[in-house]
Amino acid sequence: ALPICFVDEADAAEVLRYSAKLSDLSDAQKAIGDVNGDGTLDEVDAGQILRYAAKLIDQFEQGKENN
């Protein structure tokens, strides 16, 4: 079983830092952060993470660029 994790605005900020090449993430962190499943960790993922943290969506939609 996977550990219980909480998603918040700090996760979106970390994705943005990575996409701007200001920080590095492990392969596992990149895979988890790629919430839309397009193989790229970018601002689209950060946007979905923010919407999830704000409870505007209740799941990440893989294959979607915008919700």
Side-chain angles (χ1 to χ4, degrees):
L2 293 173
I4 296 173
C5 298
F6 297 95
V7 176
D8 63 20
E9 297 83 4
D11 298 311
E14 190 60 37
V15 169
L16 289 173
R17 281 192 290 277
Y18 173 80
S19 68
K21 298 181 180 17
L22 298 175
S23 69
D24 198 20
L25 298 174
S26 71
D27 288 340
Q29 289 171 313
K30 289 184 262 189
I32 291 168
D34 179 22
V35 297
N36 71 345
D38 68 354
T40 303
L41 190 58
D42 58 19
E43 66 280 352
V44 175
D45 298 299
Q48 280 201 33
I49 292 168
L50 282 173
R51 286 190 288 280
Y52 183 86
K55 300 188 183 338
L56 298 175
I57 59 173
D58 61 2
Q59 64 184 12
F60 299 115
E61 295 197 32
Q62 297 223 346
K64 301 270 180 153
E65 288 193 10
N66 295 306
N67 285 340

